[in-house]
């Protein structure tokens, strides 16, 4: 009987390690890049974020991104900044021992600054996500969604957005490589995350 209890305890602890790798309570920081499809623009910079997962499956988060590139416009060098402030809310629809399926939304602002002129976009994204833990050291996720961004002096833009990433876990720490493809731009990031 004691052996059965010991085996059950070991199995439970093993499950908790797997689940901890996939939780959405975290702090993160890293390098990010945005490539616009219709321009020779590769903005580089940093991204920081934080998130919290409630016991009932609801999770929230905030991402802060600052990127910059220099463009040659009419033989002059011009600095262009690409900034995002995004609030996230979502819900874990289904969870298994090795995977989690969630739905969520991102709402916020995206600014493109050229010299002294700033174009502010209202941004909304809706997505479905599946995250899978292959072991306590490796996990991956995939997202499929729809995004819409709008500014007063620019035509409204919307379309599909797909992406995914691969994470290497070292206890509570992880390093991830992420890539997202939207209607008008691609975004990639190399992130360090500490999960609580």
């Amino acid at each position: 009987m004691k052996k059965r209890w010991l085996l059950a305890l070991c199995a439970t602890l093993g499950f908790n390690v797997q689940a901890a790798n996939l939780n959405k309570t975290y702090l993160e920081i890293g390098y990010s890049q945005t490539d616009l499809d219709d321009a020779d623009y590769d903005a580089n910079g940093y991204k920081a974020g934080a998130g919290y997962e409630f016991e009932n499956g609801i999770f929230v988060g905030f991402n802060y991104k600052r990127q910059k590139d220099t463009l040659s416009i009419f033989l002059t060098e011009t600095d262009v900044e690409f900034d995002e402030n995004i609030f996230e809310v979502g819900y874990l629809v289904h969870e298994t021992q090795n995977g989690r399926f969630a739905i969520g939304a991102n709402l916020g602002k995206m600014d493109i600054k050229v010299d002294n002129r700033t174009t502010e976009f209202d941004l909304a994204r809706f997505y479905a996500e599946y995250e899978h833990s292959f072991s306590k050291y490796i996990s991956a996720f995939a997202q499929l969604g729809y995004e819409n961004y709008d500014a007063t002096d620019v035509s409204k833009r919307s379309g599909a957005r797909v992406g995914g990433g691969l994470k290497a876990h070292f206890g509570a720490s992880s390093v991830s490589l992420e890539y997202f493809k939207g209607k008008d731009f691609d975004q990639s990031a190399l992130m360090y995350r500490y999960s609580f």
Side-chain angles (χ1 to χ4, degrees), residues 3-21:
K3 288 182 182 178
R4 288 184 186 168
W5 280 106
L6 186 59
L7 287 173
L9 178 63
C10 289
T12 303
L13 291 175
F15 174 77
N16 287 339
V17 169
Q18 294 290 352
N21 285 344

Side-chain angles (χ1 to χ4, degrees), residues 1 5-6 8 22 32-33 53-54 61 77-78 80 87 102 106-107 114 149 189 196:
M1 185 68 171
W5 280 106
L6 186 59
L22 302 181
S32 66
Q33 180 176 335
E53 181 181 321
F54 297 93
E77 297 292 311
T78 303
V80 180
F87 175 73
N106 298 146
L107 304 170
V114 180
Y149 45 101
F196 297 93

Side-chain angles (χ1 to χ4, degrees), residues 46-115:
Y46 68 92
K47 176 182 170 185
Y52 185 80
E53 181 181 321
F54 297 93
E55 290 182 15
N56 60 4
I58 294 173
F59 59 90
V60 295
F62 181 76
N63 286 294
Y64 176 88
K65 189 182 295 180
R66 296 295 177 262
Q67 301 170 324
K68 185 184 281 191
D69 191 18
T70 302
L71 295 178
S72 294
I73 301 174
F74 301 115
L75 302 176
T76 16
E77 297 292 311
T78 303
D79 286 337
V80 180
E81 295 180 31
F82 187 92
D83 301 339
E84 284 185 33
N85 298 307
I86 305 293
F87 175 73
E88 178 180 32
V89 62
Y91 179 68
L92 294 168
V93 177
H94 183 69
E95 186 171 5
T96 66
Q97 184 175 354
N98 294 323
R100 304 184 345 152
F101 178 73
I103 56 172
N106 298 146
L107 304 170
K109 294 280 187 187
M110 180 175 70
D111 297 340
I112 298 177
K113 301 174 185 176
V114 180
D115 292 330

Side-chain angles (χ1 to χ4, degrees), residues 147-194:
E147 68 182 354
N148 178 63
Y149 45 101
D150 191 13
T152 53
D153 55 345
V154 178
S155 62
K156 189 177 198 178
R157 308 290 288 180
S158 60
R161 184 173 188 260
V162 297
L166 187 64
K167 290 184 184 179
H169 297 268
F170 312 97
S173 296
S174 64
V175 176
S176 65
L177 184 60
E178 305 171 358
Y179 175 79
F180 292 94
K181 169 73 177 164
K183 181 176 175 61
D184 295 310
F185 50 85
D186 301 356
Q187 294 183 310
S188 55
L190 178 63
M191 303 297 295
Y192 167 78
R193 175 178 287 195
Y194 186 84

